[in-house]
Amino acid sequence: MSSGYEVVDKGHVGGQEQISSDWKTIQVVFHDFAELPSKRGDRTLSPVLKCHGLEWQIQLYPGGHSKSSEADAYISLRLRSKSCSKTNKMKIRAKSRTRIPSAGKETGGRTFRIYSASADGGSRSWGKNDYAKREDVLKASKHYLVGGNLTVEVDIQVMLDEPPTWTPTNTVCSDMLKMLDSADAETADVSFEIGDGDKTATRSRKDDFQFFYAHKNILSTRAPVLAVLAGDCSPGTAIPISDVHPDLFRMLLRLSTAVKFPERMCSKKKLAASSKLPIGLVALDSN
């Protein structure tokens, strides 16, 4: 109900559900399930998986948790929080659903609070101690195992105090590399003729040199030494640089453009063989 006055801020005390994030799924495959340690209380941990900016582990007890029913042998599946939330003023709440997709079995959905540690100093975990009977999991007709492996999926939803803020993906580096990789005599305003040998040999054998195209504005900021070499040369005049391996120069251009190595990198021997390696370092360190 509105009072007609300007409300500059708003809060609730009790009765307010936090905003739910989207459900996101983590998955782990436990290989050779039948061979895993299966005494009551034996535990197999998944690698640390990331979801909603937090770290998680899926815990599998092939022979049941210590708190599982003793009437029969069960497997237990639990979700473990590896992230510390004590730094947050509001303790984070979450929901989870655990699923074995091949068997079509899913449990969970309740809300829990994520704490950094339990009373005994270990990480908190949530799940079902009597998830499924072990004998059912081992039966081929129940379809829990695929090729002897057990695939477990956990859906996680985090309760947020505020709606998630949309942040656009930063594509500056990839866009700059696309511009560099697509540069040619028409789009670039500076070119280099790079040869791994003396100038005469370079010009006499085309296989010994390569042309590289770049942009002076980028070089003046990111690789000033190369910008000075370019000087006032016209775009159609290639600047010769000998005794530098083309792969090394390609790395230099990509580093100066987007701080990223090319996928095709030359061997360490080729780099070491270049007598002008310091030029590349100076070109970047002068930045």
Side-chain angles (χ1 to χ4, degrees):
M1 180 177 178
S2 175
S3 63
Y5 292 92
E6 179 186 5
V7 178
V8 296
D9 201 358
K10 185 177 180 179
H12 289 268
V13 178
Q16 172 78 357
E17 270 293 313
Q18 291 176 297
I19 299 166
S20 300
S21 70
D22 294 332
W23 286 97
K24 293 187 178 181
T25 304
I26 57 176
Q27 182 191 82
V28 64
V29 179
F30 293 95
H31 292 269
D32 300 319
F33 171 83
E35 304 302 319
L36 296 176
S38 57
K39 292 181 180 179
R40 184 182 175 87
D42 284 344
R43 182 179 65 179
T44 299
L45 295 176
S46 75
V48 175
L49 306 171
K50 292 185 178 181
C51 184
H52 295 298
L54 302 170
E55 294 184 340
W56 310 85
Q57 276 185 313
I58 296 175
Q59 301 174 323
L60 168 66
Y61 294 80
H65 191 274
S66 59
K67 296 182 180 179
S68 294
S69 172
E70 297 182 1
D72 213 332
Y74 286 86
I75 72 164
S76 305
L77 285 171
R78 302 184 65 82
L79 178 65
R80 179 187 190 189
S81 167
K82 292 285 291 181
S83 294
C84 177
S85 64
K86 285 187 175 180
T87 56
N88 299 296
K89 293 181 180 179
M90 297 286 290
K91 291 185 173 69
I92 301 173
R93 296 194 306 156
K95 290 182 179 180
S96 68
R97 300 184 301 227
T98 302
R99 177 174 56 255
I100 298 179
S102 59
K105 184 178 178 65
E106 181 176 292
T107 62
R110 72 181 184 88
T111 302
F112 57 87
R113 292 188 178 275
I114 303 172
Y115 295 92
S116 61
S118 59
D120 61 1
S123 297
R124 307 275 299 194
S125 66
W126 306 266
K128 194 169 180 63
N129 292 329
D130 298 344
Y131 188 88
K133 291 184 178 181
R134 178 176 172 82
E135 62 177 358
D136 288 343
V137 174
L138 294 173
K139 285 181 181 177
S141 60
K142 297 291 185 178
H143 306 294
Y144 280 92
L145 303 181
V146 178
N149 305 325
L150 181 69
T151 298
V152 178
E153 294 179 347
V154 178
D155 305 325
I156 302 173
Q157 185 182 56
V158 175
M159 309 296 115
L160 307 172
D161 291 326
E162 298 178 355
T165 302
W166 178 79
T167 303
T169 302
N170 188 343
T171 62
V172 173
C173 287
S174 60
D175 290 343
M176 294 285 282
L177 286 177
K178 288 178 182 177
M179 183 172 67
L180 175 65
D181 293 338
S182 63
D184 55 26
E186 294 183 1
T187 61
D189 56 7
V190 61
S191 60
F192 297 92
E193 181 184 335
I194 307 301
D196 191 11
D198 62 61
K199 186 175 180 179
T200 304
T202 297
R203 293 189 175 278
S204 63
R205 296 194 317 179
K206 292 184 178 181
D207 291 341
D208 290 338
F209 69 88
Q210 293 182 33
F211 283 103
F212 292 89
Y213 299 94
H215 303 85
K216 289 183 180 179
N217 284 341
I218 296 176
L219 294 180
S220 64
T221 302
R222 300 286 298 161
V225 172
L226 292 180
V228 171
L229 288 177
D232 297 325
C233 291
S234 62
T237 303
I239 302 164
I241 300 179
S242 59
D243 294 329
V244 175
H245 195 281
D247 283 342
L248 173 63
F249 194 79
R250 180 180 295 105
M251 290 167 57
L252 172 62
L253 282 183
R254 291 177 72 92
L255 282 170
S256 64
T257 300
V259 197
K260 186 174 182 179
F261 284 100
E263 293 181 3
R264 176 179 173 272
M265 292 178 60
C266 60
S267 67
K268 292 182 179 179
K269 290 183 179 179
K270 288 183 178 179
L271 292 180
S274 174
S275 61
K276 289 193 175 181
L277 178 59
I279 287 182
L281 297 178
V282 170
L284 290 176
D285 288 344
S286 299
N287 210 347

